[in-house]
């Protein structure tokens, strides 16, 4: 099955086509956390900020980078992780990958060092699509659909993630990974 024809489910990755034309998602990879007929909620995995978690949340003392989860409600905080054993109320997204949970437990585990950057990521804002909106973007071939791999997600640097996911998919996608940012400069 061609990756472009994979159905979108919880745990899907939406990989922006190289020339999508939407600055919010330029060369982005979005993890779909929740997908239903009512709409889709996801988090951009590879847009970094200059902020740390302690810059926006009191009582957090460890260094934990913040990512931009998307253009919607950038005054909200979200997180994904692979440690449901430490975080009650975690929602399974896909094998080995969880979203949300008890934030007091998260703060405590981050502060004492039992949750590191290799186990959890924090996001301001999110990406969201109303019913039918994502299907329309998929019809326009704005996204390539793949599946999330928790190990790859947490072990691949954000600035290499878009290209790394495509290379990992192989075939025609490996070629897409090498498309120039601006083809006029090629």
């Amino acid at each position: 099955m061609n990756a472009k024809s994979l159905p979108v489910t919880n745990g899907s990755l939406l990989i922006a086509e190289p020339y999508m034309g939407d600055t919010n998602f330029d060369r982005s990879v979005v993890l779909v956390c929740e997908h239903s007929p009512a709409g889709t909620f996801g988090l951009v995995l590879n847009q970094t900020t200059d902020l740390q978690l302690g810059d926006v949340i009191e009582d957090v003392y460890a260094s934990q980078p913040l990512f931009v989860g998307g253009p919607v409600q950038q005054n909200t905080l979200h997180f994904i992780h692979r440690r449901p054993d430490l975080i009650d109320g975690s929602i399974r997204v896909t094998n080995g990958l969880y979203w949300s949970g008890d934030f007091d437990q998260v703060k405590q585990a981050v502060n004492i060092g039992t949750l590191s950057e290799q186990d959890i990521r924090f996001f301001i804002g999110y990406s969201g699509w109303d019913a039918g909106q994502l299907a329309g973007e998929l019809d326009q071939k704005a996204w390539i659909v793949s599946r999330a791999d928790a190990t790859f997600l947490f072990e691949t640097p954000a600035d290499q993630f878009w290209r790394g996911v495509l290379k990992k998919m192989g075939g025609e996608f490996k070629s897409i990974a090498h498309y120039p940012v601006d083809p006029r400069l090629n």
Side-chain angles (χ1 to χ4, degrees):
M1 181 183 284
N2 181 319
K4 290 183 183 181
S5 63
L6 286 176
V8 175
T9 62
N10 293 357
S12 290
L13 293 178
L14 302 175
I15 305 154
E17 287 283 353
Y19 308 117
M20 177 188 266
D22 182 338
T23 56
N24 290 309
F25 296 107
D26 186 36
R27 301 218 174 195
S28 290
V29 179
V30 178
L31 171 68
V32 174
C33 296
E34 186 174 346
H35 179 71
S36 73
T40 304
F41 171 93
L43 298 166
V44 176
L45 297 173
N46 60 327
Q47 287 186 10
T48 58
T49 72
D50 292 330
L51 299 172
Q52 297 287 314
L53 183 61
D55 294 334
V56 298
I57 299 293
E58 291 182 15
D59 302 327
V60 173
Y61 310 107
S63 293
Q64 286 279 346
L66 277 178
F67 291 79
V68 177
V72 182
Q73 292 186 353
Q74 290 195 334
N75 62 341
T76 60
L77 181 72
H78 307 274
F79 57 94
I80 57 171
H81 60 91
R82 54 180 174 177
R83 295 298 307 268
D85 57 314
L86 298 177
I87 306 169
D88 293 338
S90 300
I91 301 166
R92 183 181 181 275
V93 175
T94 191
N95 194 28
L97 188 58
Y98 299 82
W99 165 49
S100 197
D102 185 317
F103 193 64
D104 288 329
Q105 290 176 324
V106 168
K107 287 195 306 186
Q108 181 180 13
V110 165
N111 282 335
I112 63 173
T114 54
L115 272 177
S116 70
E117 288 181 50
Q118 287 71 42
D119 294 318
I120 192 164
R121 275 206 189 158
F122 296 93
F123 303 87
I124 51 176
Y126 66 91
S127 302
W129 293 264
D130 289 330
Q133 185 180 4
L134 180 57
E137 291 180 17
L138 289 168
D139 287 345
Q140 295 171 4
K141 307 216 182 316
W143 300 101
I144 299 166
V145 181
S146 186
R147 296 285 176 249
D149 174 333
T151 301
F152 184 82
L153 188 157
F154 284 102
E155 293 179 6
T156 304
D159 64 346
Q160 298 170 28
F161 201 77
W162 180 85
R163 186 164 276 142
V165 169
L166 289 166
K167 285 180 179 178
K168 187 175 179 207
M169 291 170 67
E172 68 179 285
F173 304 107
K174 193 172 182 178
S175 297
I176 292 171
H178 297 289
Y179 282 18
V181 173
D182 186 345
R184 297 172 297 177
L185 301 177
N186 197 9

